[in-house]
């Protein structure tokens, strides 16, 4: 029974839930980036290089025979995947850089002014030190 209890504690920890949400959002973001690259970025690039559709670029290793499809090395899809990665990496870099700059601003903020109680306690402390 302790294994079930340990698993339950593990599964409901905040870190696990946060990680699951991050994975789900990351998967959705990857779909958005893939669509952006495939539908927005690559068509103009293909038009610039002579109307080439990068997703169709491939090298035939073995011709298809009968119902068997050909064996292909689809380097065009690989190029698109590299561009996807670069865009995702740039977005993550920008997000982390923004978060780090916010943390620096928080750390650089001056400490709050002492309250009246703190000032009074400081004065009492100083008076006690002077009386010794």
């Amino acid at each position: 029974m302790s294994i079930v209890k340990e698993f339950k504690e593990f599964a409901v920890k905040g870190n696990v839930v946060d990680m699951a949400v991050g994975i789900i959002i990351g998967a959705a973001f990857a779909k958005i980036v893939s669509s952006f690259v495939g539908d927005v970025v690559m068509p103009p690039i293909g038009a610039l290089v002579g109307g080439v559709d990068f997703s169709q670029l491939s090298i035939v290793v073995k011709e298809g025979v009968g119902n068997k499809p050909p064996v292909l090395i689809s380097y065009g899809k690989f190029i698109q995947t590299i561009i996807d990665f670069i865009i995702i990496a740039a977005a993550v870099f920008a997000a982390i850089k923004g978060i780090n700059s916010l943390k620096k601003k928080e750390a650089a903020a001056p400490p709050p002014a002492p309250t009246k109680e703190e000032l009074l306690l400081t004065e009492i402390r100083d008076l006690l030190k002077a009386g010794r």
Side-chain angles (χ1 to χ4, degrees), residues 48-64:
L48 288 174
V49 294
V52 176
D53 180 8
F54 281 89
S55 65
Q56 301 300 320
L57 295 177
S58 61
I59 297 172
V60 178
V61 176
K62 183 178 178 184
E63 292 292 332

Side-chain angles (χ1 to χ4, degrees), residues 2 7 9 37-38 42 45 48-49 53-54 58-59 76 84 89 92 95 105 109 126 130:
S2 66
F7 178 75
E9 289 175 8
V37 170
M42 295 308 282
I45 292 174
L48 288 174
V49 294
D53 180 8
F54 281 89
S58 61
I59 297 172
D84 285 354
V92 170
K105 287 179 184 176
D126 293 343

Side-chain angles (χ1 to χ4, degrees), residues 31-114:
K31 287 181 181 181
I32 291 170
V33 170
S34 293
S35 175
F36 176 72
V37 170
D39 302 330
V40 178
V41 174
M42 295 308 282
I45 292 174
L48 288 174
V49 294
V52 176
D53 180 8
F54 281 89
S55 65
Q56 301 300 320
L57 295 177
S58 61
I59 297 172
V60 178
V61 176
K62 183 178 178 184
E63 292 292 332
V65 179
N67 292 337
K68 292 185 178 183
V71 177
L72 303 173
I73 297 176
S74 300
Y75 66 91
K77 290 179 184 178
F78 181 70
I79 292 171
Q80 274 191 298
T81 303
I82 290 173
I83 293 173
D84 285 354
F85 171 78
I86 291 170
I87 291 173
I88 290 171
V92 170
F93 174 76
I96 299 296
K97 190 167 178 72
I99 290 169
N100 286 342
S101 70
L102 290 176
K103 286 182 181 178
K104 287 180 184 175
K105 287 179 184 176
E106 289 176 6

